[in-house]
Amino acid sequence: MAHPGFFQRQAHARRNTSLLVLLFITAVALITLAVALVGYFVTRSESSGLAFHHWLLSSHGLLTAATVVLLIGLGSLLRWVDLAGGGSRVAKMVGARPVDPDTRDSDERKLRNIVEEMAIASGVPVPELYVMDQETGINAFVAGYTPGEAVMVVTHGAITQLSRDELQGVVAHEFSHIFNGDMRLNVRLIALLAGILMIGQIGGFLLRTSFYRGHRVGRSRDGRAQAAMGIIGLALFVIGYVGVFFGRLIQAAVSRQREMLADASSVQFTRNPEGIAGALFKIGLKGGYLDTTSHASDMNHMCFGESARMKFTALLASHPPIDERINAIQPGMLARLRSRLRDTEPGADLYRSSGPAPAAGTSGFTGAAPEILGPVSGKGARTSPLASGTEAPTKPARKFSDQVGTINRQSEDFALRFLSRLPATFRNLLYTRAGAVQLCYAMLISELSREQQVQRLTLLPPHPVLGSQPDLLKKLLPALKTIGDGVRFPALELAMPALRKLDPEEREGLITNVQKLVAADNRVSLFELALTSFLSRHLGAEADRVVPVRFKSYRPVIPALQRLLSLLARAGSPSQADAETLYREAMAGFMDTRNGTQPVLEKVTMRQLREALTALNGLSPLLKPAVIDACGHCITHDGKVETREYELMRLVADQMDCPMPPLMV
């Protein structure tokens, strides 16, 4: 199937939000009319037999309609507020347990390793992981408002019954939802469905109450009132099922195509179609229903497979049929999987026959080329395979914007090599709050002398978690020097689950401490700017805020583009003349530079750069690719990417909410 790019999928997700609102309004209108019809028959005698359309405009009709709309709105608002906690709140709602980053359970470690590989390879912070211990079905979902605070929830059945290849296919499918902006839409849909279902819940309550009180009052004069309450409750309960029907229709309308796209993305990311196909095949055999939570139907549109049993599956299912999904991945795949099941081939051989088998333990993340190892060490480190060899540098074949929101072979190789080179002690420290905090400090002082390090750390106030901890720093600093400054961002992404566990006051304190260390020498390097911006973006008070679209053309952001591209052109050029030429080439896509009236800016302050990136993040998703490509042109015009250029590119991508793989050319 044709596979749209990251920015097209982002724009589609925003259009889906508008569709969701339209469907919600339609459902509310129909439910309101249905309840008003019940009210019409109940109060008809009091209204002198008015026709329904006249009654609807009477005081009785308007009051009934207003009450219904208010109840539905209140139900949605209460759930919306309840889910303001983001992905972690959704995980707790279904009874999921957070996975200890240092877990000793082999299945949980398998899951964590796959997720960490995928996160580092795609350039997004590692999601928090949760497991539904009581669920034996095979299923998973991601939840959250932004990629920086996403959580991934996996059932116990998924991590125990799926092979590594199959679990990797499921994880890649869920990462696609993170990239595409589906998570935010899914959480909002839960809230809207809660309001639609409110009328049915009220009807059920009235029905139960009437029967309970009816048994107690017997034949008293209140019997008629109880009977009327029961009839009204029954009517509302039936109307509630109409709400359920519309709710499921809305789920299906916004979910089915996204699931097919996520399946295709999984194949694209892992290059192993039999991984996700095998997982789907096992769901078809063993099921993926969530049986231990009352929210299974609410979560149906979010999950990898159907989470709730329902009638009229062909019409109301949030996912296409399993057979259709498998054959869409690769024609004839379903027949091959069924044949292998009949032949009872060993599980180790079951999902390898369509291509060369990966090396043991790699599961689709094939071995890195030796030349990728070199670029991750030393001040002159390059994060590109072009760093090695003596051949003349060549221009990259792919545009930078094509790599956003994707995982490629080079980034996968990089992730595997990076994780394998991390000392065990260093990696385990990143899983703790104190260790993750000290990593932020260590990255800022690692190149200083011992005396300067001690002097800088005295600027930090004492604190059990945020204060300087020399014992931990002694373990982190040597490892940072060994693995090189070119992998500082991947290490920071690995530490994000622990940093997200900081209290709001501790997060603010960490950002303040980092700013103190940065300001100590009265200058700000590009990495220091990137680090402070990264922490503010993902740990600040507005970390989970979705940036709205403010600009639908480049004209309002031309000053921001001039500042950003001036800085990148000067960073990627050895001379002023080269910088001028490179700047004009980069700006040519946004304005006429032939008359030379817009020279490259001599100075761009850090504050101006922050303001420029904030403005550019307000662009429509379909306008961002040109900005990313212009930045990429500046740093790759000579066929190589220096560490400072890479870190500047990562800063731009992160602040514009564009997940960028670590190896870009």
Side-chain angles (χ1 to χ4, degrees), residues 13-297:
R14 292 182 183 272
R15 287 194 296 270
N16 268 346
T17 300
S18 301
L19 172 63
L20 177 61
V21 172
L22 176 62
L23 292 174
F24 176 72
I25 293 174
T26 302
V28 170
L30 293 175
I31 292 173
T32 301
L33 287 175
V35 175
L37 189 61
V38 174
Y40 169 68
F41 285 111
V42 171
T43 63
R44 188 176 183 183
S45 60
E46 301 177 19
S47 305
S48 304
L50 291 174
F52 176 69
H53 61 281
H54 292 301
W55 178 89
L56 194 58
L57 297 177
S58 68
S59 59
H60 287 92
L62 293 176
L63 180 61
T64 301
T67 301
V68 173
V69 173
L70 179 63
L71 288 174
I72 294 177
L74 183 62
S76 292
L77 179 62
L78 290 175
R79 181 54 63 88
W80 194 293
V81 172
D82 180 49
L83 297 178
S88 59
R89 179 66 189 93
V90 177
K92 293 174 183 177
M93 183 178 76
V94 298
R97 167 185 61 84
V99 175
D100 183 359
D102 197 24
T103 178
R104 298 301 176 188
D105 182 270
S106 60
D107 292 319
E108 293 178 1
R109 289 183 69 86
K110 175 178 68 176
L111 172 65
R112 175 159 290 283
N113 287 337
I114 292 173
V115 171
E116 288 178 348
E117 291 168 7
M118 198 76 65
I120 292 173
S122 61
V124 299
V126 178
E128 291 187 63
L129 296 179
Y130 288 77
V131 171
M132 301 179 72
D133 288 316
Q134 306 304 317
E135 296 290 352
T136 58
I138 301 173
N139 226 322
F141 67 86
V142 288
Y145 291 108
T146 63
E149 54 98 34
V151 306
M152 182 177 296
V153 181
V154 181
T155 62
H156 184 263
I159 63 174
T160 56
Q161 298 179 51
L162 297 181
S163 68
R164 196 183 197 280
D165 282 2
E166 294 162 349
L167 187 58
Q168 187 186 64
V170 173
V171 169
H173 174 103
E174 298 305 325
F175 262 81
S176 172
H177 288 311
I178 295 177
F179 297 149
N180 298 346
D182 295 336
M183 297 187 304
R184 181 171 67 252
L185 182 69
N186 286 338
V187 174
R188 288 174 174 173
L189 183 52
I190 294 177
L192 296 183
L193 290 177
I196 293 176
L197 302 178
M198 175 68 76
I199 299 300
Q201 293 170 344
I202 293 175
F205 172 77
L206 292 177
L207 192 60
R208 290 190 299 271
T209 301
S210 65
F211 280 120
Y212 174 72
R213 296 188 62 181
H215 285 301
R216 296 186 60 183
V217 300
R219 297 183 178 179
S220 68
R221 57 186 178 183
D222 293 333
R224 289 185 178 180
Q226 301 304 320
M229 181 184 296
I231 294 173
I232 295 174
L234 179 61
L236 294 180
F237 187 73
V238 172
I239 293 173
Y241 269 95
V242 176
V244 172
F245 177 80
F246 281 111
R248 299 296 170 261
L249 276 182
I250 292 174
Q251 283 182 322
V254 301
S255 179
R256 285 194 174 195
Q257 186 61 26
R258 293 182 304 142
E259 293 302 318
M260 297 294 278
L261 289 174
D263 289 345
S265 295
S266 176
V267 177
Q268 180 190 41
F269 294 164
T270 64
R271 302 181 310 280
N272 181 14
E274 297 201 9
I276 186 171
L280 288 169
F281 188 65
K282 286 187 177 178
I283 287 182
L285 293 175
K286 304 177 181 180
Y289 300 122
L290 304 181
D291 295 323
T292 64
T293 174
S294 60
H295 298 283
S297 60

Side-chain angles (χ1 to χ4, degrees), residues 623-653:
L623 297 180
K624 290 183 179 180
V627 179
I628 296 295
D629 289 335
C631 295
H633 174 72
C634 290
I635 70 172
T636 60
H637 76 288
D638 57 356
K640 58 185 179 181
V641 182
E642 303 291 344
T643 297
R644 64 192 181 95
E645 295 174 326
Y646 163 67
E647 291 175 343
L648 182 55
M649 191 68 210
R650 283 299 304 268
L651 169 63
V652 173

Side-chain angles (χ1 to χ4, degrees), residues 404-471:
V404 173
T406 66
I407 300 173
N408 55 57
R409 182 181 297 274
Q410 294 167 345
S411 64
E412 292 171 351
D413 294 339
F414 176 88
L416 279 175
R417 297 290 183 143
F418 167 72
L419 291 172
S420 66
R421 294 180 63 191
L422 285 183
T425 301
F426 181 92
R427 186 171 178 178
N428 289 336
L429 282 176
L430 303 188
Y431 295 148
T432 66
R433 293 193 308 159
V437 168
Q438 300 305 308
L439 172 70
C440 298
Y441 303 156
M443 289 191 294
L444 293 171
I445 65 173
S446 61
E447 297 182 1
L448 302 178
S449 66
R450 175 62 180 168
E451 293 74 16
Q452 289 176 315
Q453 290 176 358
V454 174
Q455 182 181 8
R456 296 287 172 84
L457 293 174
T458 58
L459 300 174
L460 306 180
H463 189 277
V465 177
L466 304 181
S468 171
Q469 300 189 28
D471 292 343

